Amino acid sequence: MKKYEPDAIRNVGIFSHGGEGKTSIVEAMLFLAGENTRLGSVNDGTSLMDYEPEEIERKATIASSLACFEWGKNKINLLDTPGDDNFISDAKLCMRVVDGAVVVVSAVSGVKVQTEKVWQYANEFSVPVGLFVNKVDRERADFSRTVEDLQKNLSDKTVLVIQIPMGAEENFKGVIDLLSMKAYAYKKDLSGSFDLIDIPPEYLDEAKKYREKVVETAVEMDDEVMERYLNGDEITDEEVEKCLRAGVWARKIAPVTCGSAAMNIGINVLLDNMVKYFPPPTYRNEVEGINIKTGDKMMREMSASQPFSAFIFKTFTDPFAGKLTLFRVYSGELHPDMTVLNVTKDEKERIGQIFYLVGKKQKPAGFASAGDIAVVAKLKEAGTGDTLCDDKSPIRYESVKLAPPVISFSLHPKAKGDEDKLNTSLAKLIEEDQTIRYSRDEQTKEFLLSGMGQVHIEVIVEKMKRKFGVEVELHEPKVPYKETIKGTTKVQGKYKKQSGGKGQYGDTWLEMSPLPKGSGFEFADKVVGGSVPRQYIPAVEKGIVEAMHQGILAGYPVVDFRVALYDGSYHDVDSSEMAFKIAASMGFKKGLEQCKPALLEPIMKMEVIVPDENMGDIMGDMNSRRGKIIGVESSGNNQVVKAAVPMAEVLRYAPDLRSMTGGRGTFAMVFDHYEEVPAHIAEKIIEAAKKEKEQQEK
């Protein structure tokens, strides 16, 4: 691919709710641009962009992919992103590096949950947006209703129609451009071929009405043109286009176009409009970063003449090329054999071959310059969110804050001895997907895999099997209950054993009492007069520490208590550290029975963000889960419900919330504290623990 000046490059992401046809639009673009000899299909598994086996099987985008191609005199770097809530974080990372976002909506179903979410991402990163109404050829498609839905739900910008369809459903045959006032009449052979004709009479009145709105809105972007328009002067199409472009760049206008990816109608016009209305990479002139020496903000000019700097927004492993790193260059140029600094990890990396991608197809690039998006293979330390730069002019770019995982499962390798392979494979998958969490619960001894939803977890498990040959079973994680005491007692723990030769003798008197929540364990030495020699007292404490890992109710660790050793006796010959350790353990277990033992459960602090209309359902549901509402706050059109809820009640909260809110609700939770389990529930937990123990002993 030849060298392009920054002004001729367009970095564009395509975003939507899942199933709206993003990938089909990209496939049509690649066909029109000559990158594919046929129209790739998601349904047939022939898509260039959705090439992973998990994507082909589900007929949906799971991971973002890059397509670099030429359109006219311009180069387009197009990022096709996931729309499913399980993988939407990947879309957010892509929004971080694009200069324009095409948000796709269906003419059948209109604005959906993830449409709103990606719109918020565009606002967060100040990205200009265009809207494309797809599936105008489908049954029950209604362009006008969809536009009203867009204007109602995405009202922070002027949602402006600049193109209308000719016909709908099976009669959809083309689009009308409201700037040139010409119609594109397409052949129904999927070739994208069209005839540019005068607007048919039956559509002329509607087109004029929409055209008037376009001109009225556009001229507001330029005071001089606005004044001339109000004076009745003629405003040229070129002036309207210039004003529209200014409105899009300023993020005041979101232009609406339409078509059908499946029929390859309107896609060429969408490509033209991406070049025409979206800004080049250098439109902001400079980019904000962080001075790594001072921690202060600093600016870097987006120019090839500046020192090199780039932001890594994706890494993944290719079975042939190895680890691939996708990055956006903000300044300078990158060439093979250069050594650059990974400022995030403070490691130097040597650059190998640089190339572009079209799905998984690689195209040699030779170099990458300011404003471009490119790929390099086999960097050792580079990860998503890292900054690469010239080590003599370091700068670090802010990474993207991703939502925390919402669901966890315990992992059990099917094959014995696969634990090491499991750790290695998950470490590599986490490099590709930063929303995966993998940890070990020290109390339950379970390996926990956490992700953004059940589908996300299932895909991770499928990839582990396919890429690394590791098969696992998923189970609901155990709740890490604990036990405590509510009463006090004084108890003797005595161990005496005689079996010929030297015996064992240890005698302890313990005073046990409860401590406030969260205090843990406290040991006190109150021995006077040498009834227990000093050298045996650490063994007494050790005996209690070992015994406290298993309580008497259900075998859970005991917490929040104090034990004081206040008396005892010993034998000159038979006493030993081991004897006193066992004696203390016996006394502790006996004392637990006398101290009103109680079961404790972990309580999670939750923030649930839902639309106003779902508030009642959420509050009622929280009460049914034994939750306590801490407070409710307004946030735009949403309500933020803060609550404290037992962990056992929210292990599978993610799918339940999705069901209650139609996918519009989100939540985050962290461990807060432990509370006593209500008696009727404690009985069930204790009974279940006894049955599990009996099965293990069998």
Side-chain angles (χ1 to χ4, degrees):
M1 194 177 280
K2 64 185 180 184
K3 181 175 181 178
Y4 280 88
E5 293 300 320
D7 285 351
I9 295 173
R10 296 293 182 273
N11 296 319
V12 181
I14 189 158
F15 305 88
S16 81
H17 190 95
E20 304 294 66
K22 295 182 303 299
T23 302
S24 297
I25 291 169
V26 178
E27 294 296 332
M29 289 178 171
L30 294 175
F31 173 68
L32 291 170
E35 292 291 340
N36 201 356
T37 54
R38 60 175 178 169
L39 198 60
S41 168
V42 173
N43 289 330
D44 297 343
T46 57
S47 164
L48 287 180
M49 304 302 283
D50 285 356
Y51 55 85
E52 291 277 7
E54 293 80 16
E55 294 177 314
I56 294 169
E57 181 187 339
R58 287 176 167 78
K59 296 180 169 53
T61 303
I62 285 172
S64 58
S65 49
L66 173 65
C68 305
F69 58 93
E70 295 172 338
W71 185 251
K73 296 179 180 179
N74 296 87
K75 181 194 175 197
I76 294 177
N77 296 319
L78 190 65
L79 287 164
D80 179 24
T81 68
D84 187 298
D85 192 39
N86 284 266
F87 311 101
I88 199 72
S89 294
D90 213 4
K92 188 174 185 181
L93 281 159
C94 290
M95 192 72 84
R96 166 74 170 77
V97 297
V98 297
D99 305 306
V102 175
V103 176
V104 181
V105 292
S106 164
V108 179
S109 53
V111 174
K112 291 185 182 176
V113 181
Q114 306 308 327
T115 319
E116 297 174 14
K117 195 168 281 188
V118 296
W119 189 266
Q120 290 166 6
Y121 293 163
N123 286 339
E124 182 179 340
F125 296 111
S126 301
V127 176
V129 177
L131 295 154
F132 185 78
V133 179
N134 193 27
K135 303 185 179 182
V136 184
D137 60 311
R138 298 288 177 88
E139 191 179 338
R140 300 191 312 280
D142 189 325
F143 178 75
S144 298
R145 183 191 64 217
T146 305
V147 170
E148 286 175 13
D149 200 18
L150 289 167
Q151 290 169 335
K152 175 187 171 186
N153 289 284
L154 312 176
S155 57
D156 58 313
K157 297 176 184 62
T158 300
V159 173
L160 183 67
V161 175
I162 64 169
Q163 190 186 87
I164 59 173
M166 282 198 295
E169 301 183 349
E170 72 273 9
N171 296 318
F172 178 53
K173 51 185 177 285
V175 297
I176 295 168
D177 179 60
L178 300 172
L179 267 78
S180 65
M181 288 300 278
K182 289 288 184 180
Y184 293 77
Y186 287 81
K187 296 173 183 175
K188 294 199 173 182
D189 58 2
L190 307 185
S191 68
S193 302
F194 62 89
D195 293 317
L196 196 60
I197 62 172
D198 291 331
I199 299 172
E202 63 268 32
Y203 300 109
L204 195 55
D205 287 345
E206 183 186 17
K208 286 179 178 177
K209 184 181 74 173
Y210 274 109
R211 158 81 183 192
E212 191 176 328
K213 178 65 177 174
V214 170
V215 177
E216 283 179 1
T217 305
V219 298
E220 290 178 6
M221 301 299 120
D222 188 308
D223 291 342
E224 184 186 331
V225 178
M226 176 78 164
E227 189 176 338
R228 286 175 44 226
Y229 175 74
L230 293 174
N231 289 335
D233 293 353
E234 184 69 29
I235 307 300
T236 66
D237 291 350
E238 289 75 17
E239 287 177 307
V240 174
E241 185 182 302
K242 185 179 177 183
C243 289
L244 264 179
R245 183 161 49 246
V248 173
W249 287 27
R251 303 181 60 254
K252 294 177 180 177
I253 294 174
V256 180
T257 55
C258 60
S260 164
M263 294 181 68
N264 201 358
I265 293 178
I267 306 302
N268 61 309
V269 188
L270 175 60
L271 279 163
D272 290 341
N273 286 337
M274 280 163 46
V275 170
K276 196 183 296 181
Y277 296 115
F278 282 153
T282 52
Y283 80 109
R284 289 175 180 156
N285 297 322
E286 55 185 14
V287 61
E288 183 183 286
I290 296 168
N291 185 318
I292 62 167
K293 292 178 181 175
T294 65
D296 297 331
K297 289 180 181 179
M298 64 181 289
M299 306 304 291
R300 175 68 58 86
E301 184 186 346
M302 287 195 198
S303 166
S305 62
Q306 293 294 306
F308 169 74
S309 68
F311 176 80
I312 298 171
F313 65 93
K314 185 177 179 63
T315 57
F316 67 98
T317 303
D318 181 89
F320 304 106
K323 180 178 170 182
L324 300 182
T325 302
L326 282 67
F327 56 92
R328 154 92 186 245
V329 183
Y330 282 109
S331 63
E333 289 190 348
L334 186 68
H335 295 268
D337 297 325
M338 273 178 62
T339 298
V340 298
L341 174 67
N342 180 336
V343 75
T344 312
K345 303 241 171 70
D346 195 23
E347 294 279 352
K348 291 191 176 180
E349 297 271 16
R350 188 168 181 80
I351 302 300
Q353 184 187 7
I354 302 168
F355 47 89
Y356 302 125
L357 290 177
V358 177
K360 64 178 178 180
K361 185 171 69 176
Q362 299 173 8
K363 300 162 71 173
F367 71 100
S369 189
D372 213 348
I373 289 175
V375 186
V376 67
K378 298 177 181 174
L379 297 186
K380 291 178 182 176
E381 302 296 331
T384 303
D386 290 356
T387 300
L388 301 177
C389 62
D390 185 325
D391 62 350
K392 295 184 180 65
S393 300
I395 186 172
R396 181 171 63 82
Y397 296 121
E398 283 281 14
S399 189
V400 176
K401 187 177 181 182
L402 301 176
V406 297
I407 195 167
S408 298
F409 287 90
S410 68
L411 285 185
H412 300 267
K414 286 185 178 179
K416 286 184 177 179
D418 261 5
E419 282 84 359
D420 289 342
K421 284 173 70 178
L422 178 66
N423 293 336
T424 304
S425 61
L426 278 170
K428 289 182 178 178
L429 290 174
I430 289 167
E431 279 187 0
E432 297 181 15
D433 182 354
Q434 292 188 329
T435 58
I436 301 172
R437 297 285 186 277
Y438 181 54
S439 59
R440 186 173 188 267
D441 189 303
E442 290 304 321
Q443 179 180 323
T444 64
K445 306 293 188 262
E446 289 184 314
F447 291 102
L448 299 179
L449 177 64
S450 306
M452 305 309 294
Q454 186 154 345
V455 175
H456 187 207
I457 298 288
E458 288 169 0
V459 167
I460 295 165
V461 170
E462 288 170 19
K463 283 186 176 181
M464 275 198 292
K465 181 180 177 181
R466 175 173 62 86
K467 290 187 170 186
F468 308 104
V470 180
E471 291 190 65
V472 297
E473 291 178 349
L474 295 173
H475 299 285
E476 196 167 277
K478 294 176 182 176
V479 176
Y481 294 105
K482 293 187 188 296
E483 298 180 25
T484 192
I485 57 173
K486 297 194 289 182
T488 60
T489 191
K490 291 184 177 180
V491 65
Q492 182 185 26
K494 188 174 183 179
Y495 179 60
K496 184 178 180 182
K497 189 176 180 184
Q498 200 71 41
S499 57
K502 185 182 176 184
Q504 295 283 354
Y505 184 89
D507 180 22
T508 60
W509 278 92
L510 308 173
E511 182 179 22
M512 296 173 61
S513 55
L515 289 175
K517 283 180 188 175
S519 300
F521 163 61
E522 189 179 299
F523 178 76
D525 171 13
K526 289 189 172 182
V527 174
V528 291
S531 56
V532 177
R534 307 243 52 87
Q535 68 264 31
Y536 298 139
I537 290 173
V540 172
E541 182 177 2
K542 191 174 181 183
I544 294 165
V545 168
E546 288 183 7
M548 65 189 265
H549 288 305
Q550 269 202 326
I552 60 166
L553 291 176
Y556 293 108
V558 186
V559 294
D560 302 338
F561 67 98
R562 181 176 187 266
V563 174
L565 173 65
Y566 68 92
D567 202 357
S569 62
Y570 70 101
H571 188 279
D572 288 335
V573 176
D574 292 347
S575 285
S576 66
E577 288 187 4
M578 178 61 73
F580 272 96
K581 191 170 88 167
I582 295 171
S585 172
M586 292 168 63
F588 173 70
K589 288 177 180 175
K590 192 194 300 181
L592 283 179
E593 296 175 4
Q594 302 170 14
C595 285
K596 299 179 185 174
L599 198 63
L600 300 175
E601 63 181 342
I603 304 297
M604 310 303 286
K605 194 174 183 180
M606 296 184 70
E607 280 196 5
V608 187
I609 304 172
V610 294
D612 293 340
E613 62 265 27
N614 296 121
M615 262 289 292
D617 293 338
I618 298 303
M619 301 277 272
D621 180 68
M622 278 293 164
N623 289 327
S624 73
R625 295 174 190 267
R626 301 189 285 124
K628 297 173 186 173
I629 305 298
I630 299 169
V632 180
E633 298 173 0
S634 293
S635 176
N637 296 323
N638 294 323
Q639 296 289 332
V640 182
V641 180
K642 297 182 179 181
V645 195
M647 178 193 280
E649 303 289 347
V650 287
L651 288 172
R652 302 298 302 277
Y653 188 66
D656 294 344
L657 179 66
R658 189 174 291 124
S659 175
M660 283 187 288
T661 64
R664 283 183 146 81
T666 60
F667 77 99
M669 66 178 174
V670 293
F671 167 74
D672 194 54
H673 65 281
Y674 273 86
E675 275 185 14
E676 186 176 346
V677 181
H680 67 287
I681 294 173
E683 286 174 11
K684 294 177 183 176
I685 297 167
I686 293 166
E687 187 63 33
K690 284 179 181 175
K691 285 182 180 177
E692 186 180 343
K693 187 177 180 182
E694 287 169 4
Q695 288 175 346
Q696 288 173 350
E697 288 173 350
K698 286 178 184 178

